[in-house]
Amino acid sequence: MVRGNADRMIDIFIYAVMLILCVVFLFPLLYVISVSLTPYTEVLKHGGYMIFPTKIDFEAYKTLFNDDAIPRSFRISLIITVGGTLISTLLTVLMAYPLSRKKLKLRSFFLLYVVFTMLFNGGLIPTYFVVQNLGLLNSVWAMMIPNALTAFNILLMKSFMEAIPEEIFESARIDGAKENRVLWQIVLPLSVPSLLTIGLFYAVTQWNLFFSAIMYITDTKLYPLQVIVRNIITAASIPNMSIEIVVPTMTLNMAAVVVSSAPIIAVYPFIQKHFMKGMLMGSLKG
């Protein structure tokens, strides 16, 4: 097919828009990283705005990790991210697989029940009392269990499993495989892109968890990283530590933002290929 001038103009327009979007999205990230790596005196010389550091200084990062608050909250965030992602992904699979089978009795009722939770929920106070009566307050479970299942992720996983050819299931059953064996040995290996996509959704949610920690945790030693970062930015201080004296506030704030964001940003490129495939295949029949 011969491309005309109109097609080339459209391509140029699309590339120009994408370039502008890249600049808009990358500018805040470059700014935060640059300020966190630059001595505060240099930041002031540039009026507080700089894209590339003129001098590299890791003093803000040393100050953050010299206190126990950041490493401890980092471990808490890592625990709830890994544990919460595994629990949520497992529960999502166990919920989505039966819903993907058209022979399931009361399938329409269960689907309606899942969709209903997307529109309505129990509310803040009832949920708090449920967590309290279960004895989960001031524990890492309070940050993993209440948000373990998301209706959108269940429907996404269900749609992906429905796209698997029915002949594969019939062949497995002819060979004598039961439902649990079909799920673990056939469906899950074929659902790796969708599992990684769902896992990334849950991992990002757990890593950025903030509200549940504020609601259910009063022991400061169990605060996840996001709460500590919030404390640093709003109060410009780490508990039991006079940061203002050790390092300038702006530099420390930016270093805290980088520390809280870097793990998820580092993980995403490794699963990007599966992420796109999982999203597209899960949306075909959704």
Side-chain angles (χ1 to χ4, degrees), residues 30-31 33-35 38 46 49-56:
L30 291 175
Y31 168 74
I33 295 175
S34 178
V35 173
T38 305
H46 292 81
Y49 295 96
M50 54 193 313
I51 301 301
F52 300 104
T54 54
K55 293 182 180 178
I56 302 297

Side-chain angles (χ1 to χ4, degrees), residues 21-268:
L21 290 176
C22 286
V23 172
V24 170
F25 291 143
L26 286 177
F27 178 79
L29 181 63
L30 291 175
Y31 168 74
V32 170
I33 295 175
S34 178
V35 173
S36 70
L37 292 173
T38 305
Y40 190 53
T41 53
E42 292 295 320
V43 176
L44 291 178
K45 287 181 181 177
H46 292 81
Y49 295 96
M50 54 193 313
I51 301 301
F52 300 104
T54 54
K55 293 182 180 178
I56 302 297
D57 182 14
F58 293 97
E59 189 60 32
Y61 293 93
K62 292 179 182 177
T63 304
L64 282 178
F65 285 97
N66 279 339
D67 187 81
D68 190 46
I70 290 294
R72 184 177 60 242
S73 63
F74 196 94
R75 288 194 296 270
I76 295 296
S77 289
L78 196 60
I79 290 172
I80 62 177
T81 299
V82 175
T85 300
L86 291 177
I87 292 173
S88 298
T89 304
L90 176 63
L91 293 177
T92 300
V93 168
L94 295 178
M95 187 77 181
Y97 178 65
L99 292 176
S100 68
R101 302 296 91 206
K102 296 180 180 178
K103 295 181 180 179
L104 175 70
K105 294 181 180 178
L106 300 177
R107 180 171 179 262
S108 299
F109 168 78
F110 290 120
L111 280 174
L112 181 62
Y113 179 80
V114 172
V115 174
F116 183 83
T117 63
M118 298 177 69
L119 305 175
F120 305 97
N121 58 63
L124 187 62
I125 302 303
T127 304
Y128 178 84
F129 284 130
V130 170
V131 174
Q132 183 185 42
N133 290 329
L134 290 175
L136 299 179
L137 293 180
N138 273 328
S139 71
V140 293
W141 300 108
M143 295 180 278
M144 293 189 290
I145 300 301
N147 302 315
L149 272 176
T150 303
F152 173 79
N153 291 341
I154 293 174
L155 297 177
L156 188 65
M157 179 67 76
K158 179 190 77 70
S159 298
F160 188 91
M161 290 178 174
E162 284 179 341
I164 299 175
E166 187 63 28
E167 291 77 9
I168 295 178
F169 295 94
E170 293 177 357
S171 177
R173 293 189 185 104
I174 291 174
D175 291 339
K178 301 297 183 183
E179 288 298 334
N180 58 346
R181 188 176 178 184
V182 171
L183 172 61
W184 299 112
Q185 295 188 357
I186 296 177
V187 175
L188 290 187
L190 293 174
S191 305
V192 171
S194 184
L195 288 173
L196 291 174
T197 303
I198 299 297
L200 180 64
F201 286 161
Y202 283 126
V204 171
T205 301
Q206 293 290 349
W207 182 261
N208 292 325
L209 188 137
F210 174 80
F211 187 72
S212 296
I214 295 296
M215 280 291 298
Y216 307 130
I217 305 298
T218 56
D219 185 357
T220 57
K221 292 183 179 179
L222 291 177
Y223 276 162
L225 185 61
Q226 304 302 332
V227 177
I228 297 297
V229 170
R230 191 284 305 263
N231 291 342
I232 293 173
I233 293 176
T234 57
S237 64
I238 295 176
N240 304 320
M241 179 179 179
S242 301
I243 315 175
E244 298 91 340
I245 300 175
V246 180
V247 71
T249 299
M250 179 185 292
T251 309
L252 188 62
N253 287 348
M254 298 306 170
V257 173
V258 172
V259 170
S260 66
S261 307
I264 290 298
I265 295 176
V267 168
Y268 181 74

